[in-house]
Amino acid sequence: MKKQHLLLLLILSLASILIIWFIRSRGDTQIKIGAILPLTGEAAQYGQNDKEGIELAISEYHKRKKPEQPSIAVIYEDCGTDPTKAVSAFRKLRNEGVHMIIDDAISSISLSLAPLLEQEKTVLISTGASNPGLSGISPCFFRIWNSDAFEGKVIADYMKKTSPQAKLAILAINTDYGKGLENVLTKELDGGQIRVVKVERFAKDSSDFRALILSVLQEKPSHIYLIGYATQNGPCVKQLREGGYAGVIVGTVAMEDAQFLKLAGASAEGVVYPYPAQPSGQATSDFVSAFKKHYTKDPQILNDCGYDATNLLIKAIESGAHDGASIASFLEKMSPYSGASGEIKFKKGDVSKPMEMKSIRGGAFQRLK
C-alpha cells in the first residue's frame, strides 16, 4: 500500500514539474509584431511618433505580463513614403513569421499592402491612412483613423456654414492621400454655391510652390484648401503669405504638427483645419500621464494611435488569437474599446470618431468656436 502511495506521489510530483516547465517555457516564447513606418524622409515625424506610442505600449505590457505570457518584440521596417519599399518590407516580415503589422499615416502605403493581406493571412492596423478607397478593402485591414470621406464632409459643412459663396482653390499633394481628399471635398461641394475655381497638384518632394501659387492667385480665391504633409504645408503656407495672399487657408488634420508650425512660422496664424475631437475619459488621461513620464514631453499627433494599435494587438494575443485569421476575427467582433485616441469599434475595418474644426492662434492649436 505504501508503495502505491509513493508511486502516486511520484507521478503527481512529475506532473507538477512538467506543468511548471510547460508554463515557464510558454513564458519564454516571443511573439513578433511588424511595424512598417516612414522613419526617414518627409513623413519621418509621423513614423517616429507612431514608434514612440508603440514602444510605450510594449513597455507597459512587459511590466504587467505574467510569467506564463509570451514576450512581444516589434520589428521595425522603414518604408519612407514609397509603396514599393513597403511591399518589400511586408515580404521580409512575413518571411520572419510575422502575421500582424502596424503601418502609418500614408494612404499609398496601406493601399499597396491591403491586397496582400488575406492571401498572406496577415492583419494590418493603420494608424493614419485615410483614403476612402480603403474602406472594406480587406477583412484583414483595420484603421483607427477616420476615412477622408468623413473629414472632407466636415470641411465642406464648415465652409457651407461660414462662407456659402466662397471661391475655392485647391493645392493638393499628388498622391492617393491628396487625390482622395480632393475628390471627397469637390463631391461634397458639387451643386452648391461654393465654386472650385482652380486645382493644382504638387509632387511629394516639393518645397518651392511659387509658380503654383501664382497660377492659383490669378483666380482670386477667397479660400485655399491645402492638402499635404508638414514638410510641404509649412513652406507652402509661408510662400502664400509672402506672395500677398490674405484669404483663408483651410488645411487637413496634418496641420496639427509641431514641424508645420516651425516651417510656416508666423504665416501659420489663422489656418483652419479639422481634427479628431479631443477624447476624454480615464484611458486618455492615463495615456497622457504615462507618455509624459516615459518621454518627458507632451504627446503629439499619432503617438496615441501607435499606442492604441499596439494595445489592440496585445488584447487579441491575450484573448488567445494566434494567427492572422483569429486576430482579424477578434478585432471585427470586439466590444467598443476605450483607447487613448478615443473609442474604437470597427465596422468593415473603419472607425468613426467625432471631429471638430480647429485654428492656429498665437502659435498654438486651438479649438475653433
Side-chain angles (χ1 to χ4, degrees):
M1 197 72 173
K2 285 185 176 180
K3 288 183 179 180
Q4 289 177 332
H5 280 296
L6 287 171
L7 183 61
L8 181 61
L9 286 172
L10 181 62
I11 292 170
L12 289 172
S13 297
L14 286 171
S16 298
I17 291 169
L18 286 170
I19 290 169
I20 292 170
W21 174 84
F22 177 72
I23 289 172
R24 287 182 176 175
S25 67
R26 283 194 67 191
D28 290 336
T29 61
Q30 186 182 78
I31 292 178
K32 298 175 183 176
I33 294 175
I36 301 176
L37 307 172
L39 299 173
T40 57
E42 66 271 18
Q45 189 61 55
Y46 299 133
Q48 294 296 341
N49 288 356
D50 252 332
K51 186 177 180 182
E52 289 176 343
I54 292 168
E55 292 293 301
L56 178 58
I58 294 295
S59 173
E60 290 178 346
Y61 168 75
H62 283 121
K63 285 179 182 177
R64 70 174 185 267
K65 90 175 188 72
K66 298 175 182 178
E68 65 270 20
Q69 292 179 303
S71 61
I72 297 176
V74 181
I75 303 174
Y76 293 96
E77 295 291 338
D78 180 12
C79 63
T81 55
D82 187 340
T84 303
K85 287 183 179 179
V87 171
S88 296
F90 178 88
R91 298 292 188 198
K92 181 180 176 183
L93 289 170
R94 286 297 297 122
N95 288 338
E96 295 186 38
V98 174
H99 50 255
M100 59 188 101
I101 295 173
I102 298 169
D103 86 346
D104 195 51
I106 314 299
S107 291
S108 55
I109 299 301
S110 297
L111 285 165
S112 70
L113 298 178
L116 308 173
L117 300 177
E118 193 169 4
Q119 178 183 347
E120 294 289 338
K121 297 179 175 58
T122 301
V123 166
L124 178 68
I125 299 183
S126 179
T127 59
S130 54
N131 188 282
L134 287 164
S135 294
I137 196 170
S138 167
C140 295
F141 177 79
F142 302 85
R143 55 177 164 183
I144 54 179
W145 195 274
N146 286 329
S147 167
D148 286 336
F150 185 29
E151 180 179 334
K153 187 177 187 307
V154 171
I155 297 169
D157 288 345
Y158 167 76
M159 291 195 63
K160 289 174 183 177
K161 289 177 182 178
T162 61
S163 310
Q165 295 183 328
K167 293 174 63 179
L168 177 68
I170 299 175
L171 281 168
I173 187 170
N174 194 23
T175 63
D176 292 309
Y177 171 59
K179 293 171 187 174
L181 268 173
E182 175 194 326
N183 290 338
V184 169
L185 184 63
T186 52
K187 183 179 179 180
E188 288 290 334
L189 296 177
D190 187 42
Q193 291 181 292
I194 296 175
R195 292 189 299 122
V196 177
V197 296
K198 189 75 172 180
V199 176
E200 291 283 4
R201 300 183 183 90
F202 52 84
K204 64 182 182 179
D205 58 352
S206 297
S207 60
D208 187 346
F209 301 88
R210 292 175 181 86
L212 294 182
I213 289 171
L214 184 62
S215 172
V216 163
L217 294 189
Q218 289 177 350
E219 302 299 327
K220 295 181 172 54
S222 61
H223 293 65
I224 290 178
Y225 181 38
L226 176 58
I227 313 169
Y229 301 112
T231 50
Q232 302 97 30
N233 291 341
C236 188
V237 167
K238 190 173 184 179
Q239 291 165 31
L240 274 165
R241 295 309 189 199
E242 288 173 348
Y245 182 67
V248 180
I249 298 175
V250 182
T252 70
V253 294
M255 293 298 183
E256 188 147 324
D257 189 324
Q259 188 180 15
F260 166 67
L261 290 182
K262 182 179 178 181
L263 293 171
S267 299
E269 190 74 7
V271 169
V272 297
Y273 61 96
Y275 202 76
Q278 179 63 37
S280 59
Q282 196 63 45
T284 301
S285 58
D286 286 350
F287 163 73
V288 172
S289 297
F291 189 92
K292 287 181 177 180
K293 183 178 179 180
H294 194 83
Y295 293 108
T296 64
K297 62 180 181 180
D298 291 328
Q300 302 291 326
I301 186 172
L302 292 182
N303 285 144
D304 54 355
C305 293
Y307 180 81
D308 282 346
T310 310
N311 277 324
L312 286 172
L313 292 177
I314 290 172
K315 280 180 66 67
I317 293 166
E318 291 177 328
S319 77
H322 58 280
D323 56 25
S326 57
I327 292 169
S329 177
F330 171 85
L331 294 173
E332 185 64 36
K333 295 176 182 178
M334 72 176 190
S335 300
Y337 172 74
S338 295
S341 64
E343 184 176 278
I344 298 171
K345 173 61 180 171
F346 294 112
K347 185 176 181 181
K348 294 185 177 180
D350 278 357
V351 295
S352 181
K353 298 177 181 177
M355 298 192 83
E356 61 188 8
M357 292 300 296
K358 300 184 74 173
S359 179
I360 296 171
R361 303 287 181 187
F365 307 115
Q366 305 283 347
R367 184 181 181 186
L368 192 62
K369 297 181 181 179

